Amino acid sequence: MAPSNDLLTMTPKGLFCEQGNFYVDPWRAVDHAVITHAHADHARWGSKKYLAADTSAEVLRIRMGEKADLRFQPLGQSQTINGVRVTFYPAGHILGSAQVKIEKAGYSIVVSGDYKRNSDPTCQPFEPVRCNTFITESTFGLPIYRWPDPQTVFDGINQWWKSNQGSGKTSILLAYSLGKAQRLLSGIDASIGPIYTHGAVEKLNAGYREAGVALPETTFVGEVDPKEIDWSQSLVVAPPSAVGGPWAKKFGKLSVAMASGWMQIRGTRRRRSMDAGFILSDHVDWADLMQTIHETEAENIWVTHGYSDVVVRYLREQGFNAKVVETEFTGEQLEGDTEPAS
Amino acid sequence: MRDFCELYWRLDSTTKTTEKVLALEAYFHQAAPKDSIWAVYFLTGSRIKRLVKTGLLRQWATEEAGLSQWLFEECYDRVGDLAETISLVLPPKQSSLAEGEPSLQSLIENQLMPLREMEEEGLRQSVVKLWQQFDQRERFVLGKLMMGGFRVGVSKRLVIRALAKHTGIDAATITHRLMGHWEPTAEFYEELVDPDENETAISKPYPFFLANPLKDEPASLGEVSDWVAEWKWDGIRAQVIRREGQTFIWSRGEDLVTDQFPEVESAASELPDGTVLDGEILGWDETEGRPLAFNQLQRRLGRKKLGKKLLTEVPVVLLAFDLIEHAGEDIRELPLADRQTRLHEVLEGLPSAAIQEPPKVLTESNRDWNSLATVRESSKAMRAEGLMLKRADSKYQVGRPVGDWWKWKVDPYTIDAVLIYAQRGHGRRANLYSDYTFAVWKEEGLVPFAKAYSGLTDAEMRKVDKFVRKNTNEKFGPVRSVTPELVFELAFENIQRSTRHKSGVAVRFPRISRWRHDKKPADADRLETIVAMLEED
Ligand SMILES: [Zn+2]
Ligand SMILES: [Zn+2]
């Protein structure tokens, strides 16, 4: 199995396919970058040319700016780059997120990027792809992570919003501006009250709408006179970095909640001093991670960002040929867009 | 159980005292008395002892979850709380097994209590069945019921406040009714919240009246003649109750300690029925007419059996300084001077010296504050910590109200604090948990206040180490958080304001001056007390 050793290798700039002369989600500027999805730790500025799934076109454009040289390829279709076949498959993580399959001479590697298996109407569902080597994330790779049914989570959010209305508090829901925010907007009951958004969220809402994803009506907070709004009836969706600063002052009495996989742990909720924490993640939980690994039927499992050591040790006990691949991906972050998960 | 879980998570999701009180009130409003009383029981810090060994729960959960030991450990490391880790790794709730929704009382009395009598095999089956009936959040609360350590930011004071608001009965009465030992029954709850209930259980002590540290010059208290000066003793504050031919001795931590002080118990048998004395229990040096050193008294504490030798070497006395029940009547509303006159009459005829009036602070020195200050300087010779200043017309109040009772200590820089974190030491102590972080009360929670490494004997350190290992709640790297249970007296050189410390104050050279076996976490000092010391400078 000679090709397996050199089809994709880890270099200081990221995962490199020498035969195809391209990188996958590189963290330094390169000539040719293949991108799994538009999150900042996977799609970085500065490379000369980018290739991504066409479903990510709208959001990737917003994230990378007008000047970036972006090319798109439909999901499920292949192109051959310097003799290496490259195909995108949906990853179910956020709008446009894709797994990248790289094949040559009958050997295949799938880079998962970030992915989840739970239902999410804002993006194409994950498809398991058979391969020889599966490179998986492990953001929530511990058995303590088990996601509740998303509908029960949304019921909880709706209830929280209504009870805040009753006690005259503005509902501030914190979520990542790309992906989680739109998933929340599409899942909540918009008939409860008006919905406002932070600028970072509203910018990406536009991309989602352009891509044909149905979202309820939202108003950018910056567009209205704060004194004229009865904030206590509204829901404000904002990135985690927004609270604590002066931005949140105008809303009066608040109830602050966060939607994230990290909210599964009581200590995390308490340290962030949230009024409520909702367990909603765009990554796989432990059971889905294991099921996916089985479904790929891969003989080699490379594990990246998250609990890679734990997952590798566990997989080896189960008889897999598994190893840790050190990357600079950060997974779903706790503190905002720039700090690593802890 | 569902309502109680909801209460738990409501309390957990807020740090605001008013919201916690509202949540408690709402619970007491809708819950049945038989459930309410168990909620009171747990939230005021009691736990069911010796239910199931923590190690077994951990092992069974690991096996039920199908995990290797190491993987469970990884999970525990991440979560930091054992009850929570168990609740998360177990397979999801099996609704088909849930036999309806048990009430809190039924869960505890019909499902938890019987566990104590079970052999290991049946025990495991029962525990697993319990786990299967509940979802993750309920399991977490169940785990806390079984293992203790609620830590949901609710103190006894707060529960009392909520009960008082809920019933319209004043907090002092509720406090009194919750004193001492009681059984968590519906009947007791009915008595607790009965607006007309006057009967006193014969063993029931009164809430202690506690003094505040004096931060201003004593002259600020006004006329010296309005005040009674007493020695501030360094022993165990206690109430001795004589009712219906029985004697009960309660420590301030609401422990019944009658058996530990047979001398006092037998002296008390000569007291008339319907007598409650407040005083200090001390090791006593008859020839010197002053207490033995505190470490002598400590030899007598917490023992199952008291040998003859110890009883001879460390005889104890109760120095009674107040009378709060006389001839079966609650006399807390009388002025201190009147209570002490009656106290004198009651003690005068007592044949045994094991209960006596304390040595007096010389009366002529009571003429002005300066001479009183001179007397205070001689406290060490009296083996006292300083003076108590009590307003002569003060009623016997509940808790620590400001204004009528002051402690005027010689060395003001000592406080009682609760051990909350421990870390392994260095060098010779590398295998012992010997570096400690202590906390004091701020509102309803404990805030870290000082770290201390020294001051305990090796034997004491080994005891603390054992305690830490058995009572770890969370691990953060090398640091373990422990169930707040042990109280220590800390001494320090100086105190300053600090923005870097959560408590807002920083102390210099903190050291452990002694282990207060006689105190419970609730007796530890409050942050306000320390801040008051700061203002003294
Ligand atoms: Zn991502
Ligand atoms: Zn990622």
Side-chain angles (χ1 to χ4, degrees), chain A residues 25 36-37 39 41-42 93 113-114 137 139 283 305 329-332:
Chain A
D25 289 354
T36 61
H37 68 290
H39 274 149
D41 58 325
H42 292 258
H93 173 56
D114 295 339
E137 60 135 328
T139 307
H283 297 261
H305 57 316
F329 306 129
T330 49
E332 181 171 345

Side-chain angles (χ1 to χ4, degrees), chain A residues 182-199:
Chain A
Q182 292 75 29
R183 186 181 180 197
L184 285 165
L185 287 169
S186 90
I188 49 158
D189 178 359
S191 70
I192 296 173
I195 303 170
Y196 293 87
T197 50
H198 184 274

Side-chain angles (χ1 to χ4, degrees), chain A residues 199-222:
Chain A
V201 172
E202 195 54 36
K203 204 165 116 187
L204 287 149
N205 284 356
Y208 268 67
R209 291 191 176 108
E210 208 184 312
V213 177
L215 296 180
E217 194 188 325
T218 55
T219 309
F220 169 39
V221 168

